[in-house]
Amino acid sequence: MAGAYLAIGSCISALTNNQVIAFVVTVVICFLWTVAGHELVLGFFQGWAPSVIVNTISSFSFLSHFNAIMQGVIDFRDLIFFGALIALWLFLTVIAVDATRA
Protein backbone atom coordinates (compact mmCIF):
# COMPACT_ATOMS: atom_id res chain seq x y z
CA MET A 1 0.00 0.00 0.00
CA ALA A 2 2.90 2.34 0.74
CA GLY A 3 4.28 1.67 -2.72
CA ALA A 4 0.96 2.64 -4.26
CA TYR A 5 0.91 5.84 -2.21
CA LEU A 6 4.44 6.68 -3.34
CA ALA A 7 3.63 5.96 -7.00
CA ILE A 8 0.57 8.22 -6.84
CA GLY A 9 2.64 10.93 -5.16
CA SER A 10 5.37 10.78 -7.77
CA CYS A 11 2.87 11.07 -10.60
CA ILE A 12 1.08 14.04 -9.07
CA SER A 13 4.44 15.65 -8.30
CA ALA A 14 5.47 15.26 -11.94
CA LEU A 15 2.26 16.99 -13.02
CA THR A 16 2.61 20.08 -10.83
CA ASN A 17 5.33 22.63 -10.26
CA ASN A 18 4.44 23.34 -6.64
CA GLN A 19 5.34 20.78 -3.98
CA VAL A 20 2.58 21.86 -1.60
CA ILE A 21 -0.11 21.46 -4.25
CA ALA A 22 1.31 18.06 -5.19
CA PHE A 23 1.18 16.97 -1.55
CA VAL A 24 -2.39 18.13 -1.01
CA VAL A 25 -3.68 16.54 -4.23
CA THR A 26 -1.82 13.32 -3.42
CA VAL A 27 -3.33 13.15 0.06
CA VAL A 28 -6.83 13.71 -1.35
CA ILE A 29 -6.43 11.04 -4.04
CA CYS A 30 -4.94 8.53 -1.61
CA PHE A 31 -7.70 9.23 0.90
CA LEU A 32 -10.37 8.64 -1.76
CA TRP A 33 -8.75 5.37 -2.84
CA THR A 34 -8.52 4.27 0.78
CA VAL A 35 -12.13 4.97 1.78
CA ALA A 36 -13.70 3.85 -1.50
CA GLY A 37 -14.96 0.63 0.10
CA HIS A 38 -16.31 2.25 3.26
CA GLU A 39 -20.04 1.89 3.86
CA LEU A 40 -20.59 5.66 3.97
CA VAL A 41 -19.16 6.08 0.46
CA LEU A 42 -20.93 3.01 -0.87
CA GLY A 43 -24.21 4.18 0.69
CA PHE A 44 -23.92 7.43 -1.26
CA PHE A 45 -23.57 5.54 -4.54
CA GLN A 46 -26.19 2.89 -3.77
CA GLY A 47 -28.94 5.49 -3.90
CA TRP A 48 -28.55 6.25 -7.58
CA ALA A 49 -25.92 4.00 -9.17
CA PRO A 50 -26.41 0.43 -10.40
CA SER A 51 -24.96 -2.34 -8.26
CA VAL A 52 -22.22 -3.04 -10.82
CA ILE A 53 -20.79 0.45 -10.32
CA VAL A 54 -21.07 0.18 -6.53
CA ASN A 55 -19.22 -3.16 -6.57
CA THR A 56 -16.54 -1.70 -8.85
CA ILE A 57 -16.01 1.26 -6.52
CA SER A 58 -15.84 -1.12 -3.57
CA SER A 59 -13.24 -3.28 -5.28
CA PHE A 60 -10.90 -0.30 -5.75
CA SER A 61 -10.56 0.32 -2.02
CA PHE A 62 -7.06 -0.01 -0.59
CA LEU A 63 -8.41 -1.21 2.73
CA SER A 64 -10.39 -4.09 1.26
CA HIS A 65 -7.20 -5.39 -0.37
CA PHE A 66 -4.95 -4.63 2.59
CA ASN A 67 -7.10 -6.17 5.35
CA ALA A 68 -6.06 -9.70 4.42
CA ILE A 69 -2.40 -8.68 4.28
CA MET A 70 -2.69 -7.13 7.77
CA GLN A 71 -3.99 -10.48 9.06
CA GLY A 72 -1.02 -12.31 7.56
CA VAL A 73 -2.81 -13.80 4.56
CA ILE A 74 -1.04 -12.93 1.34
CA ASP A 75 -3.55 -13.33 -1.45
CA PHE A 76 -2.29 -13.31 -5.01
CA ARG A 77 -5.18 -11.07 -6.11
CA ASP A 78 -4.17 -8.40 -3.61
CA LEU A 79 -0.56 -8.50 -4.79
CA ILE A 80 -1.73 -8.17 -8.40
CA PHE A 81 -3.95 -5.23 -7.44
CA PHE A 82 -1.17 -3.30 -5.73
CA GLY A 83 1.42 -4.27 -8.36
CA ALA A 84 -0.82 -3.17 -11.22
CA LEU A 85 -1.71 0.04 -9.43
CA ILE A 86 1.95 0.85 -8.83
CA ALA A 87 2.83 0.05 -12.44
CA LEU A 88 -0.03 2.21 -13.76
CA TRP A 89 0.88 5.27 -11.69
CA LEU A 90 4.60 4.91 -12.48
CA PHE A 91 3.76 4.60 -16.18
CA LEU A 92 1.70 7.79 -15.91
CA THR A 93 4.67 9.41 -14.15
CA VAL A 94 6.96 8.52 -17.06
CA ILE A 95 4.45 9.99 -19.51
CA ALA A 96 4.16 13.19 -17.44
CA VAL A 97 7.94 13.61 -17.19
CA ASP A 98 8.38 13.00 -20.93
CA ALA A 99 5.65 15.53 -21.70
CA THR A 100 7.31 18.22 -19.60
CA ARG A 101 10.69 17.60 -21.24
CA ALA A 102 9.27 18.02 -24.75
Side-chain angles (χ1 to χ4, degrees), residues 4-91:
Y5 287 156
L6 289 172
I8 292 170
S10 67
C11 181
I12 301 302
S13 179
L15 293 173
T16 62
N17 291 330
N18 191 340
Q19 293 175 350
V20 175
I21 293 173
F23 173 73
V24 171
V25 172
T26 300
V27 167
V28 169
I29 290 173
C30 290
F31 177 74
L32 292 175
W33 277 80
T34 302
V35 299
H38 196 269
E39 58 211 30
L40 183 66
V41 175
L42 294 178
F44 171 75
F45 286 105
Q46 285 175 346
W48 57 271
S51 64
V52 173
I53 293 176
V54 173
N55 291 337
T56 303
I57 292 171
S58 174
S59 68
F60 281 120
S61 173
F62 281 177
L63 291 180
S64 65
H65 290 281
F66 197 67
N67 280 338
I69 295 173
M70 285 191 308
Q71 295 174 355
V73 178
I74 299 180
D75 190 6
F76 193 62
R77 292 175 291 179
D78 297 333
L79 294 178
I80 289 175
F81 172 78
F82 284 116
L85 195 65
I86 291 168
L88 171 72
W89 282 99
L90 289 179
F91 177 71

